[in-house]
Amino acid sequence: MDGHENEGILQCPSSGMSTNPLPEKVSGMIMNSVSMYKHSNGADPFFSSGWDPLVSLSHNENFGGSSMVSHREFASTPYPIVLENQGISGTSHLVQYPSSSTYVELVPKLPCLGSGSFSDMVNSFGLPECSQIVNSECPQNYASSKEDGTGRTSTNGALSQDDRQMSGEGAVGSSPNAKRRKRVSDYNNSPVSPRQNAAGETEKDLSGQSSDVQKESDEKKPKTEQNPGSNFRGKQTGKQGKNASSADGFKENYIHVRARRGQATNSHSLAERVRREKISERMRLLQELVPGCNKITGKAVMLDEIINYVQSLQQQVEFLSMKLATVNPEQNVDIEQILSKDIINSRSGTGAILGFGPGTSSSHRFHRGTFQGTLPSISSTTSKYPLLPQTVLDNELHGLFQVGFDSCPAVDNLGSNGHFKPEL
Amino acid sequence: MISKGATRNSNSRRIKFARRFVSALLHMRNQNPRPGSLSIEGSVRTRSQRIKIAAYLSMAQAVGSRRAWSRAVLSKLGSRARRHMRRMGRSSLGSLKKKRVIRSYSPGELGQAKKLRQLVPGGETMDICSLLEETAHYITCLATQVKVMQTLADNFSK
């Protein structure tokens, strides 16, 4: 049974990993374009004049975060309402544009997200030529947006190859395929090498992603920092950390999830993937907590180790409580002082916990007999092992559990319940 | 791997646990004036049981109600629960238990998940995800408690 579990568990990550290189590159292109726009902004007067008044509109700061602040020149922020409505369609357009590489198309790309409202805004700012382009381009985009997710992926795939050639950098991101409203994808805004061609799509990208970011659930804030990590399966750069921090400020009610390239976009499978990633995240945390589990890969073995560790800790508590019970209670006059001194002194010496192995095993043997005689020997053995090597620890753990299963009346309380029976 | 913040956190936690545990021990000592009515082994066992309960109780109290496991411990070990236990027997605990939630979706882990649920207090009604989270916190707190008790025991035996 354990073998099967391992297979199932280990296959999943590998299948996930195989699809990663492609979306990485596709998104790399997008990342490039993101920074491209930023850099071109200063260079091209058109952009600065065209977008600044739009930017001045966007002081809602719905997006919050440093990412938006850093890319303030982007006009993505003025369109929170627009993007919410067409968040899904927005990203689908992103990949379709990079092949057309004139800056004139920059303007229509953004408005296609919300053609009506943007054209109004554009008109108000006196950019008539833009609005015409908007109207011409937008119907085409909307028609394409109504394709299936699979259809989009195919077109995206074709275009992404062109895109890869365009960009030279392989920044991390996720593929702009079918987007689902399940989880945050906050991989936007990583500054990458500048390029004017895909500047328009950077806006789109940002706007689409900002809509993603907007829709982050507020209760997931501490976990969103880890979301990019789990999304990208550990391929984080320093920019990712920045994105994570930028995502903290958002407060929305539902979560956005993006299906990666080549993966099923069924809502069920997406939910499962989110769940699996959460679980693997927690398992990683636990791996750090439990000593001697750095080399273990696989949920089943890890869970076994965790169970063993918890059991051993509980047995330690039991043993120590017995030890304390045998101590003469009249001695604790200066308990607080002793305790504070010891705690401060033992800040560095954290070997006490690791020295439990021999101590507890011997205690169980002496369990039924007299305690007083054995106590000094036990304390001496514990002091001998300030830092137990990991292999020895494993052996001790195994020894412990064999010993622990002996029939001892007090230990039986721990047995199946796990912690205690409060019988007084 | 442990940052400075983590050590500071662990130290403050340790001090908190220590204080509570010690006060619980003192309280227990004051509550128990009769010296030798039982045999030595019997009295030691009872006292060790009480000390163990005091350890868990103080640990859960120090954590407070922030964590599911501490809430479960407190509900089990709270003074009301103890009175319940004494008067009405163990059957009352069944009424305190919540309805069982449908468990994890992944089928391969049920055996270990079951064991873990039994180990971690309050783990019966949690899904795997929160169970793992609670386990992590529970492990850290248990480890701290063990350290505290170890230092105490070392002090007394010296």
Side-chain angles (χ1 to χ4, degrees):
Chain A
M1 192 176 85
D2 281 344
H4 287 302
E5 290 172 5
N6 280 333
E7 282 172 37
I9 289 159
L10 294 174
Q11 273 169 9
C12 297
S14 61
S15 64
M17 292 304 286
S18 62
T19 60
N20 271 350
L22 281 180
E24 207 181 322
K25 289 179 185 169
V26 168
S27 56
M29 166 273 304
I30 291 177
M31 293 307 122
N32 292 339
S33 54
V34 165
S35 64
M36 274 182 258
Y37 182 69
K38 184 185 177 187
H39 288 267
S40 64
N41 211 358
D44 197 334
F46 170 73
F47 296 141
S48 56
S49 64
W51 298 126
D52 281 344
L54 294 176
V55 169
S56 68
L57 288 177
S58 71
H59 287 309
N60 307 343
E61 290 290 309
N62 285 342
F63 304 95
S66 57
S67 63
M68 281 301 138
V69 174
S70 65
H71 296 274
R72 186 174 67 75
E73 290 102 354
F74 293 121
S76 57
T77 47
Y79 310 104
I81 303 164
V82 169
L83 297 173
E84 279 171 13
N85 294 334
Q86 283 117 6
I88 290 177
S89 58
T91 51
S92 66
H93 303 308
L94 287 174
V95 188
Q96 295 170 3
Y97 292 124
S99 51
S100 56
S101 60
T102 58
Y103 76 86
V104 176
E105 298 199 18
L106 289 174
V107 174
K109 282 170 193 172
L110 185 55
C112 287
L113 287 179
S115 60
S117 52
F118 181 78
S119 55
D120 292 340
M121 295 175 105
V122 167
N123 287 332
S124 67
F125 289 110
L127 298 168
E129 62 262 17
C130 303
S131 61
Q132 287 171 14
I133 298 167
V134 169
N135 296 330
S136 62
E137 292 269 353
C138 286
Q140 167 199 349
N141 299 332
Y142 277 110
S144 57
S145 70
K146 280 163 195 168
E147 293 172 6
D148 290 344
T150 51
R152 257 183 264 150
T153 51
S154 59
T155 52
N156 289 344
L159 288 165
S160 64
Q161 300 202 356
D162 298 332
D163 303 334
R164 258 178 269 149
Q165 294 166 5
M166 281 169 53
S167 71
E169 211 173 306
V172 184
S174 69
S175 68
N177 289 341
K179 212 162 71 164
R180 300 278 166 154
R181 303 189 170 222
K182 273 190 187 173
R183 201 197 194 179
V184 179
S185 48
D186 44 358
Y187 43 83
N188 48 4
N189 310 325
S190 60
V192 184
S193 65
R195 259 175 156 244
Q196 284 194 2
N197 293 337
E201 89 199 52
T202 66
E203 298 167 30
K204 279 296 175 61
D205 188 39
L206 266 188
S207 52
Q209 290 164 345
S210 58
S211 66
D212 283 347
V213 163
Q214 254 187 334
K215 283 147 190 170
E216 186 175 334
S217 72
D218 45 6
E219 61 190 4
K220 305 271 180 201
K221 260 196 229 172
K223 291 170 192 168
T224 54
E225 293 189 7
Q226 298 165 6
N227 277 345
S230 54
N231 258 337
F232 308 132
R233 307 271 172 117
K235 293 187 182 176
Q236 291 181 359
T237 63
K239 302 156 188 175
Q240 285 295 324
K242 194 173 151 193
N243 296 337
S245 62
S246 71
D248 282 342
F250 305 116
K251 289 191 178 185
E252 286 285 339
N253 288 330
Y254 52 99
I255 315 168
H256 254 230
V257 168
R258 256 191 190 178
R260 289 194 199 83
R261 187 187 172 81
Q263 287 183 346
T265 55
N266 191 14
S267 63
H268 289 301
S269 52
L270 273 175
E272 271 176 41
R273 193 181 322 126
V274 167
R275 199 188 157 71
R276 255 182 275 141
E277 283 170 359
K278 263 199 216 170
I279 289 176
S280 57
E281 202 181 295
R282 307 262 166 95
M283 293 287 294
R284 258 179 269 146
L285 282 176
L286 278 169
Q287 208 168 14
E288 288 169 20
L289 277 181
V290 179
C293 287
N294 301 328
K295 305 157 193 169
I296 294 177
T297 46
K299 262 197 273 182
V301 186
M302 194 59 222
L303 276 177
D304 282 333
E305 281 299 316
I306 291 168
I307 287 170
N308 286 343
Y309 189 59
V310 171
Q311 276 172 345
S312 69
L313 282 177
Q314 286 172 345
Q315 282 169 349
Q316 255 191 306
V317 170
E318 166 121 16
F319 160 64
L320 283 170
S321 68
M322 234 174 284
K323 193 169 166 187
L324 285 172
T326 63
V327 163
N328 198 345
E330 294 166 3
Q331 288 178 1
N332 36 356
V333 177
D334 293 327
I335 285 183
E336 286 279 354
Q337 294 178 10
I338 298 170
L339 210 59
S340 52
K341 270 188 212 168
D342 263 344
I343 286 171
I344 293 167
N345 290 338
S346 68
R347 200 173 282 180
S348 53
T350 56
I353 183 93
L354 296 172
F356 73 86
T360 43
S361 54
S362 52
S363 77
H364 285 301
R365 272 175 246 132
F366 297 128
H367 198 86
R368 302 175 196 101
T370 57
F371 288 93
Q372 285 84 6
T374 62
L375 278 178
S377 65
I378 290 167
S379 55
S380 63
T381 51
T382 52
S383 58
K384 268 187 209 167
Y385 297 89
L387 269 178
L388 215 56
Q390 291 175 354
T391 52
V392 178
L393 191 67
D394 290 340
N395 294 336
E396 289 295 341
L397 278 176
H398 290 305
L400 254 187
F401 300 115
Q402 288 165 10
V403 172
F405 293 143
D406 292 346
S407 59
C408 305
V411 177
D412 284 343
N413 297 337
L414 268 185
S416 57
N417 281 354
H419 32 284
F420 44 78
K421 283 184 194 170
E423 288 169 344
L424 288 181
Chain B
M1 184 100 178
I2 300 174
S3 63
K4 274 189 184 177
T7 40
R8 247 181 268 136
N9 275 342
S10 62
N11 277 333
S12 64
R13 186 185 283 152
R14 214 192 294 185
I15 293 170
K16 254 198 280 181
F17 280 21
R19 288 219 181 103
R20 278 194 192 260
F21 183 55
V22 165
S23 60
L25 282 181
L26 286 174
H27 183 68
M28 218 171 59
R29 183 166 64 98
N30 296 335
Q31 259 187 351
N32 198 4
R34 47 196 175 101
S37 53
L38 304 169
S39 64
I40 293 180
E41 199 173 310
S43 68
V44 165
R45 201 162 288 158
T46 346
R47 266 170 60 197
S48 69
Q49 278 273 39
R50 287 192 189 162
I51 291 177
K52 189 172 63 165
I53 290 167
Y56 280 106
L57 197 56
S58 64
M59 185 167 69
Q61 279 171 349
V63 170
S65 301
R66 285 175 275 150
R67 287 280 163 176
W69 68 264
S70 67
R71 287 194 290 267
V73 169
L74 287 173
S75 70
K76 249 198 228 180
L77 291 187
S79 54
R80 287 180 210 164
R82 256 193 253 167
R83 271 179 251 142
H84 249 272
M85 288 271 309
R86 281 181 193 163
R87 291 174 198 166
M88 305 172 198
R90 303 255 302 303
S91 57
S92 63
L93 269 184
S95 62
L96 293 174
K97 268 191 182 172
K98 297 179 204 169
K99 214 169 48 169
R100 275 202 180 170
V101 180
I102 298 172
R103 293 204 194 136
S104 67
Y105 305 123
S106 52
E109 310 173 1
L110 274 179
Q112 295 153 331
K114 200 171 141 190
K115 267 197 229 169
L116 199 55
R117 281 177 213 275
Q118 288 168 350
L119 283 178
V120 176
E124 302 282 339
T125 57
M126 286 196 273
D127 58 331
I128 286 279
C129 214
S130 32
L131 181 67
L132 290 178
E133 202 182 329
E134 293 291 319
T135 309
H137 194 258
Y138 186 58
I139 285 176
T140 51
C141 292
L142 262 186
T144 323
Q145 185 70 31
V146 164
K147 278 183 210 166
V148 165
M149 290 171 78
Q150 188 96 50
T151 48
L152 259 185
D154 287 341
N155 276 325
F156 287 144
S157 61
K158 277 175 192 169

